[in-house]
Amino acid sequence: MLALALSLSTVTLSATPAQASDAYNSITSASASNVDWMSRVADGTSLSWLSVPGTHDSLALCGERDPKTGKCGGIATSITQTQENHGFSAQTLTTQFRAGIRALDIRVRVDKGDEGLKFTIHHGAAYQYANFTDVLNATRDFLRDEPGETVLLHLKAECDGGTFGCEDADGYRTDEWRKKVFDSYLDGRSYTGDGDESTKATAWRDLFWGPSVTGRGQAGQVPSLGEVRGKVVLMGYRATKGGIYDGYGIKQPYPAGGSNEEYVQDAYEVDTISDIVGKWEKVRAHLRKTNGTWDSSRPGEKEYPYKPGALYINYTSGTGGGAHPYTVAGGTPTATGVNSFLRQCLQGENDRCPEFHADRGDKFGGRSGLDRMGVVMMDFPGGKLIDDIIGRNETGGSTRKVMVVGDSMSQGHEGDYTWRYRLWQWFRDQRIAVDFVGPYSGTKPQETPSAPQPPRLQGEPEPAAGPPRTSGAYAKDAQDFDSDHFAVWGRQAAQDKSLIKEQVAKYQPDLLLVGLGFNDMGWFVSDAGGTLDSMKKLVDEARAAKPNLKFAVANVPQRAKIGGRDDLITKTTAYNKALAEAIPGWHSSSSPVKLVDWAGAYDCAPASCPAAYDGLHPNAVGEYQIAGAFGSTLHKEFGLGTSAPSVPTTGPARTAGTPGNVKATSADSGIVVTWDQVFGAYGYEVRSRLAGLPDWSTARSIGNRFDTTWVADGQKWEYQVRADGGATDSAWSSTVSATARPKTAAGPVGIVTRPTATGIDFAWGTPTGPYTDSIDRYGVIAYDRDTPGAFVETVGTRNKALHFDGLKPGHRYTLAVQTWNRAGGGLPALGRPVVVGAGTPPAPTGLKVVSTDATTVQLSWKGSAQAAGYRVWIRNINNGSQSAADESVISETNHGIAFLVPGTWNYEFCMTAVNGALESGKSNCVVAPRPAGS
């Protein structure tokens, strides 16, 4: 950047420096109130919304210093100096800070001296009589005195080894060393210059906003002012040739490996005085870009999108062979300097910047008004210009604290954006200072699976519930955002009504966004009336902690129909109607309560649910719809924002990679299949088959492990796995296989089941055979065949008898008992099914037999509701044998029997009905007719 790029003997000197003015070279005339101007801006204000005065080459004070006088002099200074000199060793920064400067541009050289490797401050070849420790000390001291402020830092490795530039110390002219030296300041180590040897030094990491100096990746979000008060925010760390170092700064304005030209204007070449106006127009154009304004008469400048979440940096500085820094900034008697142009623009003088005024011409488009200036990096700023920039900031406002209270729909799953993220974007785009609060910050992570666990013993208390799982990440391309919340997978209003008071008291939200109720009705916790009572209690308890709390309470969306759950549709409809009628009665002027029509905005119904990835939980479009519902209420009912959120019809595609490292391993329990987690997968499908069979059986796994436990010794099983990405699944993995060598024990024999009024009595004999010596317990299994989607219930016992209670009278239950030894659970042994609450069933009637071929018959009969199943009795009518039946129980009222040799007409068939150990007498008996001619 230096004009030193030309030989001093041939350089054409620009005009003598202009006189100090309100816009130029008068930093000490800035308002005294600027010393803490940020403290008057709301915490939730994004740095991207601010107008921040800064200095370019903040410590470029001198070209050379006279050792006798200590003052700068000579032609080099006129070329090199960019700022008023208020003291070397970074003392000038204190003057800048007190004048309101909050953005620094520091250029460093790697120096090897007596104290080892350090950064010295340079402007090209010219040393500026300060080092980086001076910068850190001056900045720390200011922030200690003014903890409500923050300082934005642009750091650049200055020494590129050019003809008139500087060079880093010999042996340390690499990007690796430039980064290591910066890290040494952060971590409190001083490299001696002997390899990686170091000594202890002052650690400065705590002075910085942590996400901007990780050394591993860049910050993905422009922070809010409240997050960084009292800290230095590293905006970017640039390499000598203009590259951007990864691991430092904010990704949006300074993307590592990319270009920052979209957000940073630093066109510094101003060859002559007559080119100053061209530099001003670049500054002005960047102001238009910052504010989403454009000049349609200029090529390439049409329809700049307004990006309120983006941080813009605008350099007003320039230099060249015939226009030195002081000339570009201050102008001459016949040429206006950039600083004066800028002040006239802000003051509306001389018809500067008409695009930002209400009566602008037709050639200007986009937004009108200069709402923000971004970070303005200036040479020789005048005090009143600094005042004008600072005066663009909104002060005296407050940050709204928002708490989202909800269940899985609000917490989200690993890899989701979540509707909370979309609402946060709306707040940001509307420039509403907001602070999301709550005890959690993440989505639900993928399950960490383990081996199947033995059933809990009957009467044994349930283990204490662990803390909610909230460590899941968001979509990979989502910005870092204010993600605090109080939403937990599976949470009910019936639970949160007892928890909300503590959370409101702790976090003191101004606004509660509530989305609860589905789990109350979906999991049979309560009906519509009970859910409404829980919601009212939640509102009352929250108000008890903060009487002026505002509420946006959502109704409950319908979901894709679940078989057998017509009651959920009815309950949801009834609840939503009751909630809409009740909310006006809950409302008060000091604590308003408004309805959010989640159900109306969310494209999901029993017939179809395009807004969800699984019939309930939102996909990318559904997240926008929910955010739109809440944002619409916040806009219409609470007056927030200039418009409600827009809701797109499409969203980002979600893809899930094919699971890798799939392994099948023989284990004592059977076979264990494992694979690497796929980020963002909602779960996995595992298909398996006995080797040699053509058809696969598919099961679902919520984590990256699948256990096949009910297997026989010597069976070889094959497996494939794919990831569930919501709308799309991954490809199947390659096939893996393993041979089972289980060491589990067989199930017990002699199982007897008997119905009771509300349960079942079980008894069984002692198991025999291999591995029975380490049996620890038995698992008694009951499955309700008459409840669609019912779960298998298992109760553990160490006895050989158990009463299984709390079941549904009139329902049929499939029953079994398995053994659990040190290897795991064995193959269950079936007991006879039972109809709870029923007695001995009547005998079947109307038995009929049809021969489908010479050795196969099809039986059908009329059963009864008291029968849990049926047994078929068979007798050969030619040999005098007795009718016999095995323990196979048939659940339907028809049954086929094959391999009846020498022919079906030689056999008699009868049926009995069973209800556990209770069994009817025989039905009518039938013989298949003998075919003619046989």
Side-chain angles (χ1 to χ4, degrees), residues 867-889:
Y870 306 90
R871 292 206 299 160
V872 58
W873 296 74
I874 306 175
R875 179 175 71 88
N876 189 316
I877 61 176
N878 299 316
N879 61 10
S881 63
Q882 297 295 311
S883 187
D886 59 26
E887 273 299 311
S888 298
V889 177

Side-chain angles (χ1 to χ4, degrees), residues 28 142 154 227 268 273 275 369 407 487 545 671-672 729 735 786 928:
T28 56
F142 171 70
H154 167 251
E227 294 176 83
Y268 60 82
I273 293 172
D275 294 318
D407 50 31
I671 297 175
V672 178
D729 295 324
T735 302
D786 294 325

Side-chain angles (χ1 to χ4, degrees), residues 30 64 130 139 212 233 302 447 466 546 595 603-604 644 726 863:
E64 55 183 345
T139 306
S212 69
V233 177
K302 292 185 178 180
E447 299 289 340
K546 189 172 184 181
L595 178 68
D603 190 8
C604 191

Side-chain angles (χ1 to χ4, degrees), residues 294-306:
W294 66 87
D295 182 347
S296 61
S297 69
R298 295 173 184 258
E301 190 181 312
K302 292 185 178 180
E303 299 191 13
Y304 281 144
Y306 179 53

Side-chain angles (χ1 to χ4, degrees), residues 167 254 436 520:
E167 286 190 328
Y254 287 101
F436 281 83
D520 298 73

Side-chain angles (χ1 to χ4, degrees), residues 22-23 339 342-343 346 378 381-389:
D22 288 344
N339 290 16
L342 179 57
R343 185 151 200 261
L346 299 181
M378 300 172 285
K384 299 307 178 186
L385 177 56
I386 294 173
D387 293 348
D388 287 344
I389 295 171

